[in-house]
Amino acid sequence: MTTPPLTPTTLRCGYLVNPLGVAPDRVAFSWMLEGTGHDRYQRAYQIQVTPAGQPPADSSGPAWDSGPVTSSCSTDIPYAGAVLTAGRQYTWKVRVWDDTGSISAWSDPAAFEVELGRTDGWHASWIGQGRAQERATPPDLPGPVDAVARTLTPAPYLRRAFRVGKPVAFARLYVTALGLYEALLNGRRVGDGFLTPGWTDYTRRILYQTYDVTGLLAEGDNVIAVILAHGWYAGFVGFDAKRAGAHYGAAPELLAQLVITHCDGSRQWVVSDEQWKSSAGAIRHADLLMGERHDLALEPRGWERPGFDDSGWRPAGCRERDGTPLVADPGPPIRVTQEIAPRSIASNGHGQHLVDFGQNLTGWLRIRIDGPAGAHVRIRHGEVLAADGSLYTENLRTARQTDEFTTCGSSEVLEPRFTLHGFRYAEITGYPGEPGPGDLTASVVHSDIAGAGAFKSSEKWLNRLAENIDWGLRGNFISIPTDCPQRDERLGWLGDAQVFARTACYNRDVAAFFAKWLDDVSDAQLNSGAFADLAPRLDLRNIRGAGAPAWGDAGVIVPWTMWKMYGDIGVLHRHLGGMTAWMDFLERTNPDYLRTRELGNSYNDWLGPGDDDTPPELLATAYWAYDAALMAEIADVTGRADDAAGYRALSSKVRSAFNDAFVGADGQVASGTQTAYVLALHMDLLPDEVRASAADRLVAAIQGADWHLTTGYGAIGHLLPALSSTGHAEIAYRLLEQKSVPSWRYMVEAGATTMWERWDGWTAERGFQSPWMNSFNHYAFGSVGEWLYRFLLGIDQEPGTAGFGQLLLRPHPGGSLIWARGTYRSVRGPISTGWRRSDDRFTFRVELPPNVSASVRVPSGQAAEVRDNAGHPPASLGSFPGARDVREAVFHVGSGVHEFTGPAMPDSGHPW
Ligand code: BGC
């Protein structure tokens, strides 16, 4: 029987499926392979790219034919053909030669469209309501009313009627806003994205979206209609209420370009210009932090369709574009990804209802009402309930997250769409009658990033933790990785992002998302080379802004993580300049190789129960040495051998300075905090001879804290990996399973459905932590997710490799777990592992996609007796890190399903 050839599937360009806008220098191709049997791999590939799409048809043949290329690479292969034409559509396909020598059929074609020329591709002008801004009535709500009243004005409505005289072959709408936009063509919403165009530093780059609107146009009369909102550009963001409306600009504006190609090849352009009309409608204000207010009686009925009389509307205010680059959105769109029905609805009998959705989430509520016109419905949102059972909102600080609707018909659907609320509970006032469960729906809104991870184990609470980690990501990955979705902050802190980045990759396919954010990081970098603490950067009170240890270092750690997880070398090339400038900045300011100067607004080991006890210079110097080691690896893979040697030399100088300043001959690290040991071990700063004793001291420090962790954002992601890789897997489990505060399990058992900002966000003894900083949806402590996948499930890569081509499958069973199984959908396809232990047996099962090789290391009390499912003995024996009587049976396998069974590890007897 012959083996069928491998088939290329899941074609992506720039990590997106058929993107309608890609920068020409980011056109790079990836695919996965499907096929049956064992040990299947790709020997060679061929890619063909052909101009397509709009007439006149191009008959000049492919723009690029790679010819057969002998390589197993299937990710991030850069386009290398003729110059790509801006705005043009191309199709591409791939075929592969596999291990049997067979050639696959050509894949189904995929497509991409090249972005417009960043400055010369646009013929539109910025338009808005001009000077005649209507002032909203200050909402009757507590808080800084002056600032709110100054900023919150009605959402501009803009429309333009036009005629289409001939049949349409092909039409694209290119659109963006300073602020947020929602576009409609002939009354139908364009696209399914929300909060477009997303957040960037609008003074440096503005993203736009491209839509295929061929099917929305009609021959004859047409109307394009757009609603604008203040968004990040002109609304509240961050915690400096006084500056709302002043971060970038005061009022939102639109830039739109509709390009219609007729069947006869002629083109028609409809662009934003002075021919548009403007007015206002039902949306009296719309703000990301504050919420929305709609007065439905004020909606100009039919304005979004042809035939509406707009003679009473004002001409739009219009200004010419400046040179700010307009860039096709490289990230995934923000969408409604799930709808959740209430778990309970309680009425207080006085026209107020409290709704529990059972899950802390980011999004908004959709309400169906059937009652008299003129009803006034107000919805407040909160993450938790106060002790008396009422909605707790103190931790929102000045963010109101309140929506209000005044109805005008008898049966209406009320829903905001230019705001975001972090909530599990909603308090509804003024609902006419009693809402049923079908009348209230929570829409979950975030960057729509495909799931990559699945985790299940014999411990229910741990499964909930894994879900909470993912919900933390979903609640905060909104155009950028924000810190929290509810209070007056919602900023792109670099420290949080770097400690969580690898966990994020294991949970979801964040390649395109982080590619976009790394451009923001680059835009925010100072001329000195210091990376800012925030990206996009904002000038906020109390924040000095750049260079903070563990924050600025994200500028190296996150690109390196993208390379590691996705094999993305393009991202390294794009950011080499910025990373080099950062390294130069550190060396220039700290000539003695201890990082003691220019620590900016040092946050040290932020929110660790022991954060004040770790010297800030220790954490800073550790991160510097780590950056230097990663830079050496980056220089290697980008082919710069001299730089690699230079960074290795730098890394050893910083390491020596670290050891001289902080490490004793007995392995004692400075203050003896857990963080000090975790960083020294994880970042490989210690001489070999003291590693074991430093690891023992880490364990002693944990014991000294009565088997609790004391690490904060600077070290938390590395705590369990440092323990497991120094032979203390059982201590890692002990921290994982710790039930009392501070611990992960404590949060879960206290009812958390997301990750909390603080270990003690709420305790039975003290109640809530200070409302000034107590978010219940911050992802940083969720960085333990990396350990769940890499160590517990054992889905890892051989050291020094990237992109999951050479796997290291080394499970770390332990604690009270009897079994665990999971999948990571890598760039090469899904990798699944699962283990189960009984009193005397241990079984490990792996399922691997084509085109990978794996070392499987099965822990066992008698490793020589472990067998694979064909009865083969191990290829060799190894040793399980640090464990005295546990050896590893080592097997080498390729694609397919493999199962290994052998005598169990000796029971640790759980000393606790
Ligand atoms: C944010 C954190 C952030 C920190 C920096 C906090 O307000 O919520 O996530 O990293 O500030 O100090």
Side-chain angles (χ1 to χ4, degrees):
M1 205 179 70
T2 53
T3 322
L6 291 179
T7 319
T9 64
T10 325
L11 274 60
R12 292 186 305 162
C13 175
Y15 296 104
L16 296 170
V17 177
N18 299 333
L20 287 186
V22 193
D25 57 350
R26 294 201 189 180
V27 174
F29 306 106
S30 311
W31 58 91
M32 293 183 194
L33 294 164
E34 275 174 14
T36 52
H38 280 124
D39 304 334
R40 308 297 311 277
Y41 61 92
Q42 168 189 303
R43 275 198 180 146
Y45 67 79
Q46 181 176 11
I47 298 172
Q48 268 186 12
V49 180
T50 312
Q54 60 273 61
D58 196 315
S59 54
S60 55
W64 183 43
D65 185 339
S66 71
V69 179
T70 308
S71 166
S72 65
C73 186
S74 59
T75 58
D76 198 38
I77 295 166
Y79 173 81
V83 174
L84 294 165
T85 308
R88 163 131 238 183
Q89 190 184 58
Y90 293 81
T91 56
W92 69 283
K93 57 187 180 177
V94 59
R95 62 178 177 176
V96 301
W97 284 257
D98 68 18
D99 48 285
T100 65
S102 318
I103 314 184
S104 70
W106 284 104
S107 65
D108 289 339
F112 65 93
E113 263 173 61
V114 182
E115 72 175 12
L116 299 177
R118 289 194 173 181
T119 48
D120 61 1
W122 289 81
H123 307 288
S125 304
W126 287 106
I127 61 169
Q129 272 191 330
R131 276 176 298 132
Q133 288 272 355
E134 238 186 278
R135 193 149 289 273
T137 330
D140 156 32
L141 291 165
V145 168
D146 288 348
V148 173
R150 179 162 51 79
T151 311
L152 299 185
T153 49
Y157 281 33
L158 296 160
R159 80 188 296 275
R160 163 89 154 88
F162 60 97
R163 278 192 68 77
V164 174
K166 304 186 242 184
V168 174
F170 186 89
R172 290 288 182 264
L173 175 64
Y174 305 93
V175 56
T176 185
L178 292 169
L180 307 175
Y181 72 82
E182 180 179 82
L184 303 132
L185 252 180
N186 298 324
R188 283 160 66 195
R189 195 174 194 278
V190 176
D192 57 1
F194 286 93
L195 307 183
T196 43
W199 188 7
T200 54
D201 179 341
Y202 304 103
T203 65
R204 307 291 299 261
R205 90 178 61 216
I206 299 165
L207 302 184
Y208 69 90
Q209 283 75 33
T210 306
Y211 302 98
D212 179 354
V213 291
T214 317
L216 297 181
L217 289 168
E219 251 185 275
D221 289 333
N222 289 266
V223 164
I224 176 163
V226 177
I227 304 177
L228 296 179
H230 289 64
W232 295 280
Y233 177 80
F236 286 86
V237 55
F239 41 73
D240 193 348
K242 285 192 298 302
R243 288 188 59 89
H247 288 304
Y248 302 102
E253 292 178 314
L254 169 75
L255 190 75
Q257 183 159 300
L258 172 63
V259 183
I260 303 166
T261 307
H262 299 289
C263 294
D264 62 6
S266 62
R267 288 211 163 167
Q268 180 180 355
W269 297 64
V270 180
V271 301
S272 51
D273 59 14
E274 66 292 332
Q275 296 188 52
W276 288 54
K277 293 292 200 66
S278 90
S279 186
I283 305 179
R284 307 316 291 162
H285 71 243
D287 183 82
L288 287 167
L289 268 58
M290 300 301 171
E292 286 189 34
R293 190 161 71 82
H294 296 196
D295 186 341
L296 295 166
L298 297 178
E299 185 71 351
R301 300 284 155 195
W303 75 282
E304 73 282 32
R305 272 181 237 116
F308 176 81
D309 175 9
D310 64 12
S311 55
W313 286 35
R314 289 185 299 272
C318 183
R319 74 173 171 91
E320 288 312 303
R321 273 175 304 115
D322 58 21
T324 315
L326 293 156
V327 177
D329 185 357
I334 296 171
R335 291 197 177 99
V336 172
T337 63
Q338 191 179 343
E339 297 196 331
I340 298 185
R343 174 186 282 188
S344 67
I345 305 171
S347 162
N348 73 354
H350 307 291
Q352 207 168 64
H353 296 90
L354 188 65
V355 192
D356 176 5
F357 288 95
Q359 172 62 52
N360 197 17
L361 60 94
T362 302
W364 55 66
L365 221 67
R366 189 175 66 234
I367 299 192
R368 234 183 25 212
I369 64 164
D370 205 351
H376 184 75
V377 181
R378 174 191 287 187
I379 310 147
R380 300 200 308 135
H381 304 78
E383 297 178 287
V384 285
L385 297 181
D388 64 1
S390 64
L391 193 74
Y392 180 80
T393 56
E394 277 80 26
N395 67 335
L396 305 180
R397 305 197 301 218
T398 63
R400 290 178 176 155
Q401 24 180 52
T402 299
D403 295 329
E404 293 178 278
F405 300 89
T406 306
T407 65
C408 77
S410 54
S411 169
E412 274 167 336
V413 175
L414 312 176
E415 185 173 21
R417 54 205 188 273
F418 297 111
T419 188
L420 270 187
H421 311 310
F423 68 104
R424 168 176 168 169
Y425 300 94
E427 178 205 87
I428 305 177
T429 310
Y431 188 95
E434 288 301 318
D439 297 325
L440 308 176
T441 307
S443 295
V444 179
V445 182
H446 53 87
S447 289
D448 190 3
I449 308 170
F455 176 92
K456 274 272 173 298
S457 75
S458 50
E459 288 290 318
K460 235 170 134 182
W461 76 267
L462 186 57
N463 302 339
R464 183 68 232 193
L465 175 69
E467 283 171 36
N468 291 1
I469 293 169
D470 192 50
W471 273 106
L473 185 159
R474 294 176 70 187
N476 282 296
F477 279 32
I478 294 154
S479 183
I480 62 159
T482 63
D483 61 332
C484 57
Q486 72 300 82
R487 69 177 177 223
D488 56 356
E489 188 151 359
R490 314 184 187 194
L491 299 171
W493 290 103
L494 270 71
D496 308 35
Q498 63 85 6
V499 75
F500 187 68
R502 198 140 161 189
T503 297
C505 296
Y506 273 112
N507 274 271
R508 287 186 177 248
D509 178 10
V510 292
F513 178 83
F514 270 112
K516 183 267 173 195
W517 185 66
L518 284 169
D519 294 337
D520 300 328
V521 170
S522 159
D523 286 345
Q525 190 172 17
L526 306 193
N527 289 336
S528 65
F531 282 115
D533 302 352
L534 293 169
R537 179 151 57 93
L538 287 184
D539 291 325
L540 295 167
R541 76 188 139 85
N542 296 336
I543 299 295
R544 270 194 273 150
W551 271 248
D553 304 280
V556 171
I557 296 170
V558 177
W560 176 85
T561 305
M562 294 305 116
W563 165 71
K564 189 86 199 156
M565 295 300 284
Y566 301 115
D568 186 348
I569 294 189
V571 79
L572 299 181
H573 280 293
R574 283 202 296 280
H575 296 288
L576 270 179
M579 295 190 283
T580 308
W582 165 250
M583 297 306 290
D584 292 347
F585 161 78
L586 293 178
E587 200 166 349
R588 198 170 61 240
T589 49
N590 298 289
D592 50 5
Y593 301 104
L594 268 189
R595 188 171 165 193
T596 54
R597 280 174 288 257
E598 297 280 348
L599 303 188
N601 197 5
S602 170
Y603 311 104
N604 206 21
D605 191 21
W606 187 249
L607 295 184
D611 56 357
D612 292 339
D613 305 328
T614 305
E617 303 76 26
L618 183 155
L619 179 134
T621 307
Y623 267 93
W624 184 15
Y626 188 51
D627 291 348
L630 301 185
M631 285 300 289
E633 226 175 313
I634 289 170
D636 280 338
V637 298
T638 51
R640 295 167 312 124
D642 289 353
D643 290 350
Y647 284 120
R648 288 212 165 85
L650 172 66
S651 158
S652 70
K653 282 184 207 157
V654 180
R655 238 167 146 242
S656 312
F658 180 92
N659 278 278
D660 292 348
F662 304 116
V663 184
D666 53 0
Q668 162 88 19
V669 181
S671 52
T673 54
Q674 293 180 22
T675 295
Y677 289 111
V678 167
L679 297 179
L681 289 164
H682 180 80
M683 297 178 174
D684 197 16
L685 306 182
L686 302 173
D688 285 349
E689 57 279 14
V690 303
R691 262 183 83 79
S693 77
D696 291 342
R697 284 167 191 274
L698 169 59
V699 174
I702 293 168
Q703 181 173 18
D706 195 18
W707 303 107
H708 289 88
L709 54 81
T710 58
T711 47
Y713 289 19
I716 185 64
H718 312 314
L719 172 61
L720 302 194
L723 287 165
S724 293
S725 50
T726 53
H728 297 291
E730 280 303 323
I731 307 300
Y733 273 99
R734 186 156 193 183
L735 288 179
L736 183 74
E737 298 193 333
Q738 172 61 260
K739 289 186 179 173
S740 56
V741 77
S743 73
W744 293 281
R745 186 167 183 171
Y746 167 76
M747 279 185 206
V748 172
E749 293 186 350
T753 58
T754 37
M755 301 307 300
W756 296 354
E757 175 176 29
R758 314 182 74 134
W759 295 113
D760 58 353
W762 179 88
T763 61
E765 303 74 44
R766 258 225 335 258
F768 292 119
Q769 251 284 5
S770 161
W772 290 108
M773 233 186 60
N774 197 22
S775 144
F776 291 94
N777 199 353
H778 247 67
Y779 56 71
F781 289 151
S783 52
V784 66
E786 174 187 337
W787 181 85
L788 295 180
Y789 284 90
R790 277 182 71 201
F791 289 86
L792 193 154
L793 291 174
I795 304 178
D796 200 0
Q797 308 183 61
E798 289 287 4
T801 69
F804 284 86
Q806 288 159 263
L807 311 179
L808 172 63
L809 304 176
R810 182 185 226 178
H812 285 62
S816 3
L817 293 194
I818 293 165
W819 59 265
R821 62 166 186 267
T823 299
Y824 170 55
R825 280 185 63 81
S826 76
V827 278
R828 297 234 171 176
I831 300 165
S832 300
T833 66
W835 53 259
R836 174 179 286 279
R837 59 181 182 173
S838 62
D839 287 347
D840 56 347
R841 308 297 289 163
F842 181 76
T843 309
F844 186 47
R845 182 181 188 276
V846 306
E847 186 169 347
L848 307 179
N851 215 20
V852 301
S853 65
S855 300
V856 182
R857 302 181 75 102
V858 186
S860 172
Q862 283 136 336
E865 288 175 31
V866 178
R867 295 288 176 269
D868 70 10
N869 42 331
H872 297 123
S876 61
L877 300 183
S879 56
F880 195 67
R884 263 168 292 115
D885 39 6
V886 183
R887 303 269 289 159
E888 286 178 329
V890 183
F891 296 84
H892 300 286
V893 299
S895 64
V897 177
H898 311 271
E899 197 167 292
F900 310 89
T901 310
M905 291 164 65
D907 195 348
S908 73
H910 297 189
W912 57 95

Short mmCIF file of all heavy atoms in Angstrom, two decimals, residues 145-162:
data_model
loop_
_atom_site.label_atom_id
_atom_site.label_comp_id
_atom_site.label_asym_id
_atom_site.label_seq_id
_atom_site.Cartn_x
_atom_site.Cartn_y
_atom_site.Cartn_z
N VAL A 145 -17.05 65.48 36.56
CA VAL A 145 -18.03 65.89 35.56
C VAL A 145 -17.47 66.92 34.59
O VAL A 145 -17.73 66.89 33.41
CB VAL A 145 -19.31 66.39 36.24
CG1 VAL A 145 -20.22 67.09 35.24
CG2 VAL A 145 -20.03 65.22 36.87
N ASP A 146 -16.62 67.84 35.08
CA ASP A 146 -16.12 68.87 34.17
C ASP A 146 -15.36 68.28 33.00
O ASP A 146 -15.61 68.62 31.87
CB ASP A 146 -15.18 69.82 34.93
CG ASP A 146 -15.99 70.69 35.87
OD1 ASP A 146 -17.23 70.67 35.72
OD2 ASP A 146 -15.38 71.36 36.72
N ALA A 147 -14.44 67.40 33.37
CA ALA A 147 -13.64 66.79 32.32
C ALA A 147 -14.53 66.00 31.38
O ALA A 147 -14.35 66.03 30.16
CB ALA A 147 -12.59 65.88 32.94
N VAL A 148 -15.50 65.31 31.93
CA VAL A 148 -16.38 64.49 31.10
C VAL A 148 -17.20 65.38 30.19
O VAL A 148 -17.29 65.17 28.97
CB VAL A 148 -17.30 63.63 31.98
CG1 VAL A 148 -18.33 62.92 31.12
CG2 VAL A 148 -16.49 62.65 32.77
N ALA A 149 -17.77 66.46 30.76
CA ALA A 149 -18.62 67.32 29.98
C ALA A 149 -17.83 67.98 28.85
O ALA A 149 -18.33 68.17 27.75
CB ALA A 149 -19.22 68.39 30.87
N ARG A 150 -16.56 68.26 29.13
CA ARG A 150 -15.73 68.87 28.09
C ARG A 150 -15.49 67.91 26.93
O ARG A 150 -15.39 68.31 25.78
CB ARG A 150 -14.40 69.28 28.73
CG ARG A 150 -13.42 69.91 27.77
CD ARG A 150 -12.34 70.66 28.53
NE ARG A 150 -11.69 69.85 29.58
CZ ARG A 150 -10.76 68.93 29.35
NH1 ARG A 150 -10.39 68.66 28.13
NH2 ARG A 150 -10.21 68.27 30.35
N THR A 151 -15.38 66.66 27.25
CA THR A 151 -14.93 65.70 26.25
C THR A 151 -16.06 64.97 25.54
O THR A 151 -15.95 64.66 24.37
CB THR A 151 -14.03 64.65 26.93
OG1 THR A 151 -13.09 65.36 27.70
CG2 THR A 151 -13.33 63.79 25.92
N LEU A 152 -17.12 64.67 26.27
CA LEU A 152 -18.12 63.78 25.69
C LEU A 152 -19.13 64.56 24.87
O LEU A 152 -20.01 65.22 25.41
CB LEU A 152 -18.81 62.98 26.78
CG LEU A 152 -17.87 62.09 27.57
CD1 LEU A 152 -18.66 61.23 28.55
CD2 LEU A 152 -17.06 61.19 26.66
N THR A 153 -18.98 64.47 23.58
CA THR A 153 -19.90 65.15 22.67
C THR A 153 -20.56 64.08 21.81
O THR A 153 -20.07 62.95 21.74
CB THR A 153 -19.13 66.14 21.79
OG1 THR A 153 -18.01 65.46 21.25
CG2 THR A 153 -18.67 67.34 22.59
N PRO A 154 -21.65 64.40 21.14
CA PRO A 154 -22.33 63.37 20.35
C PRO A 154 -21.44 62.79 19.26
O PRO A 154 -20.55 63.47 18.73
CB PRO A 154 -23.50 64.13 19.73
CG PRO A 154 -23.73 65.27 20.64
CD PRO A 154 -22.39 65.66 21.17
N ALA A 155 -21.70 61.53 18.94
CA ALA A 155 -20.94 60.86 17.89
C ALA A 155 -21.27 61.50 16.55
O ALA A 155 -22.44 61.60 16.19
CB ALA A 155 -21.29 59.38 17.88
N PRO A 156 -20.25 61.94 15.78
CA PRO A 156 -20.53 62.51 14.46
C PRO A 156 -21.11 61.47 13.50
O PRO A 156 -20.65 60.32 13.47
CB PRO A 156 -19.14 62.96 13.97
CG PRO A 156 -18.30 63.06 15.19
CD PRO A 156 -18.83 62.03 16.15
N TYR A 157 -22.13 61.86 12.75
CA TYR A 157 -22.66 61.04 11.66
C TYR A 157 -22.24 61.70 10.35
O TYR A 157 -22.42 62.91 10.20
CB TYR A 157 -24.21 61.01 11.70
CG TYR A 157 -24.82 60.08 12.73
CD1 TYR A 157 -24.20 59.82 13.95
CD2 TYR A 157 -26.05 59.46 12.48
CE1 TYR A 157 -24.79 58.98 14.89
CE2 TYR A 157 -26.64 58.62 13.41
CZ TYR A 157 -26.01 58.39 14.61
OH TYR A 157 -26.59 57.56 15.54
N LEU A 158 -21.71 60.93 9.44
CA LEU A 158 -21.24 61.48 8.16
C LEU A 158 -21.84 60.66 7.04
O LEU A 158 -21.91 59.43 7.14
CB LEU A 158 -19.71 61.41 8.10
CG LEU A 158 -18.96 62.25 9.14
CD1 LEU A 158 -17.54 61.75 9.31
CD2 LEU A 158 -18.97 63.72 8.74
N ARG A 159 -22.29 61.32 5.98
CA ARG A 159 -22.85 60.56 4.86
C ARG A 159 -22.51 61.20 3.52
O ARG A 159 -22.27 62.39 3.43
CB ARG A 159 -24.36 60.36 5.02
CG ARG A 159 -25.21 61.55 4.60
CD ARG A 159 -26.67 61.34 4.97
NE ARG A 159 -27.36 60.26 4.32
CZ ARG A 159 -27.94 60.32 3.12
NH1 ARG A 159 -27.86 61.44 2.40
NH2 ARG A 159 -28.57 59.28 2.61
N ARG A 160 -22.50 60.33 2.52
CA ARG A 160 -22.21 60.81 1.16
C ARG A 160 -23.02 59.95 0.20
O ARG A 160 -22.89 58.71 0.19
CB ARG A 160 -20.72 60.65 0.88
CG ARG A 160 -20.32 60.71 -0.56
CD ARG A 160 -20.03 62.14 -1.00
NE ARG A 160 -19.11 62.20 -2.12
CZ ARG A 160 -19.48 62.14 -3.41
NH1 ARG A 160 -20.75 62.00 -3.74
NH2 ARG A 160 -18.55 62.22 -4.37
N ALA A 161 -23.90 60.61 -0.56
CA ALA A 161 -24.70 59.90 -1.57
C ALA A 161 -23.92 59.93 -2.89
O ALA A 161 -23.25 60.91 -3.19
CB ALA A 161 -26.05 60.58 -1.72
N PHE A 162 -23.98 58.87 -3.64
CA PHE A 162 -23.30 58.85 -4.95
C PHE A 162 -24.03 57.87 -5.87
O PHE A 162 -24.80 57.02 -5.40
CB PHE A 162 -21.81 58.47 -4.80
CG PHE A 162 -21.59 57.10 -4.18
CD1 PHE A 162 -21.35 55.99 -4.98
CD2 PHE A 162 -21.61 56.93 -2.80
CE1 PHE A 162 -21.14 54.73 -4.41
CE2 PHE A 162 -21.41 55.68 -2.23
CZ PHE A 162 -21.17 54.58 -3.04
#
